[in-house]
C-alpha cells in the first residue's frame, strides 16, 4: 500500500527565515510526485511535478527536490503570503484510476 | 474560462436526504475525480472517470453514486446522506500529458 508522510505537521517561521518541508513516500512505482498549496476554504493549487530522482523545480521562493524516498520543498526567505498548508501527493502507475495518494500536509505560518 | 467549477459551494442537508454535488470543467480533460477531505484523513479518492460513460470506484466509494454523460460534467450523488459524509468535497481533472491534477474550489457539505 502506498504511503505518504509529511513533516513537520506545522511550522512557524519568521519572515525571511528559510526552511524545508519533508515528504517521505513508499510506493511500488512512481509516476510522479506532486506538490500543492492549499489556502483555508480553497481547493489545492498545483505547484510542482517531479518525475524522477534528482529532479528539481523552482518557482519564486519555492524549490522542490526529489530522491528515491523523499521530496523536499525548500522555502527561501518566506513572506507572510506564503502561509498556507502544503500538500504532497504521489501517483503510482499500479493504482487504478490515476489516483493521487496524499500526505497529511504541513501547515506553514510565516510571521512578519 | 474558470477551469473547474463546483456547485453548490456550501450545503446543509438532513440525514437520509439525497444530495447531488455538481462539477463542471472547461478544459475537456478526459479524467475527472471526486475527493473528500477530512481532518485526520487528508484527501481521499471517492470515484473517478476516465471518459464519458466510464466511471470506477476509488478508495472510499460507499454511499456515493456518480455518472458522466458529458465530458465536461461529473456529478456526485449521495443517495441517502449520513453524518459521516459531512466533509469538504473536491472535484479534479487531470492533464494526461503531465498527469497533473487540478482541483476545484470545493463544496462544504454538512449532514445534520
Amino acid at each position: 500500500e502506498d504511503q505518504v508522510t509529511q513533516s513537520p505537521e506545522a511550522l512557524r517561521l519568521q519572515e525571511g527565515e528559510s526552511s524545508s518541508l519533508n515528504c517521505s513516500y513508499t510506493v511500488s512505482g512512481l509516476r510522479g510526485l506532486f506538490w500543492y498549496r492549499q489556502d483555508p476554504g480553497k481547493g489545492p493549487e498545483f505547484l510542482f511535478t517531479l518525475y524522477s530522482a534528482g529532479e528539481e523545480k523552482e518557482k519564486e521562493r519555492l524549490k522542490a527536490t526529489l530522491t528515491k524516498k523523499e521530496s523536499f520543498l525548500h522555502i527561501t526567505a518566506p513572506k507572510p503570503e506564503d502561509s498556507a498548508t502544503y500538500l504532497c501527493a504521489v501517483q503510482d502507475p499500479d493504482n487504478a484510476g490515476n489516483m493521487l495518494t496524499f500526505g497529511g500536509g504541513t501547515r506553514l505560518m510565516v510571521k512578519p | 474560462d474558470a477551469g473547474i467549477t463546483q456547485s453548490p459551494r456550501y450545503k446543509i442537508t438532513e440525514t437520509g436526504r439525497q444530495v447531488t454535488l455538481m462539477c463542471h470543467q472547461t478544459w475537456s480533460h478526459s479524467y475527472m475525480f471526486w475527493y473528500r477531505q477530512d481532518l485526520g484523513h487528508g484527501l481521499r479518492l471517492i470515484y473517478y472517470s476516465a471518459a464519458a460513460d466510464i466511471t470506477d470506484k476509488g478508495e472510499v466509494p460507499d454511499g456515493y453514486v456518480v455518472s458522466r454523460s458529458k465530458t465536461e460534467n461529473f456529478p456526485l450523488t449521495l443517495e441517502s446522506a449520513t453524518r459521516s459524509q459531512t466533509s469538504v468535497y473536491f472535484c479534479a481533472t487531470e492533464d494526461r500529458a503531465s498527469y497533473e491534477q487540478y482541483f476545484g474550489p470545493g463544496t462544504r457539505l454538512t449532514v445534520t
Side-chain angles (χ1 to χ4, degrees), chain A:
Chain A
E1 182 181 329
D2 299 340
Q3 287 194 323
V4 179
T5 303
Q6 292 187 247
S7 61
E9 288 186 11
L11 181 62
R12 288 175 179 258
L13 298 174
Q14 286 297 127
E15 184 172 2
E17 181 187 1
S18 301
S19 188
S20 296
L21 282 55
N22 177 263
C23 171
S24 298
Y25 64 91
T26 305
V27 292
S28 56
L30 182 69
R31 176 179 282 150
L33 184 141
F34 306 87
W35 281 99
Y36 289 86
R37 169 191 171 127
Q38 188 174 25
D39 292 296
K42 296 192 175 181
E45 175 189 348
F46 172 78
L47 292 174
F48 301 109
T49 309
L50 301 166
Y51 296 103
S52 58
E55 192 173 358
E56 299 182 350
K57 295 262 178 86
E58 283 190 69
K59 179 180 179 180
E60 296 180 358
R61 295 176 291 282
L62 300 177
K63 179 180 176 180
T65 62
L66 181 66
T67 72
K68 288 189 177 179
K69 293 186 177 180
E70 56 191 352
S71 177
F72 292 94
L73 185 65
H74 307 277
I75 303 177
T76 302
K79 298 183 178 181
E81 53 262 42
D82 294 322
S83 297
T85 296
Y86 291 85
L87 300 170
C88 167
V90 296
Q91 193 177 73
D92 183 341
D94 291 338
N95 289 337
N98 296 355
M99 182 180 85
L100 291 180
T101 300
F102 281 87
T106 293
R107 188 160 57 96
L108 175 66
M109 293 153 282
V110 182
K111 301 283 189 178

